[in-house]
Amino acid sequence: MAAPVGGVVTGALGTVVLSAAWQACDVGVNGAANGLALIFYGALLTTVAAAWWGAAVGYIGRWNIPVALLGGTGGAAIMVWIFVALLHVPDGYRC
């Protein structure tokens, strides 16, 4: 149960942070212009994060649940950081 929930939370967090970064840099025409890209990127991040949470909780969680949750959270934070660092300024926009 932790893998889908952790993946969705990580994907939503990454999408919200990326959207805020794009709004701060005036990327796109308006909020609707970025919606499709944000949906695609959010779904991609959700899938990768769910796989990470599944591996962390499924493998490490057999022995130590708190360590598995800590590892899942740390990995999710790193994923969101990389996600925003790579996509924060699309080509043609400088912030």
Side-chain angles (χ1 to χ4, degrees), residues 52-53 56 67-81:
W52 169 256
W53 276 97
V67 171
L69 294 176
L70 185 64
T73 303
I78 291 170
M79 276 186 255
V80 169
W81 179 72

Side-chain angles (χ1 to χ4, degrees), residues 54-92:
V57 172
Y59 182 71
I60 300 171
R62 287 186 244 173
W63 295 285
N64 196 341
I65 292 292
V67 171
L69 294 176
L70 185 64
T73 303
I78 291 170
M79 276 186 255
V80 169
W81 179 72
I82 291 171
F83 178 74
V84 174
L86 291 176
L87 299 173
H88 77 286
V89 181
D91 291 336

Side-chain angles (χ1 to χ4, degrees), residues 43-54:
L44 182 66
L45 181 61
T46 299
T47 304
V48 172
W52 169 256
W53 276 97

Side-chain angles (χ1 to χ4, degrees), residues 9-54:
V9 170
T10 303
L13 177 67
T15 303
V16 167
V17 172
L18 183 62
S19 175
W22 283 0
Q23 286 178 351
C25 294
D26 292 329
V27 173
V29 178
N30 55 25
N34 299 330
L36 186 61
L38 288 172
I39 289 171
F40 173 73
Y41 290 139
L44 182 66
L45 181 61
T46 299
T47 304
V48 172
W52 169 256
W53 276 97

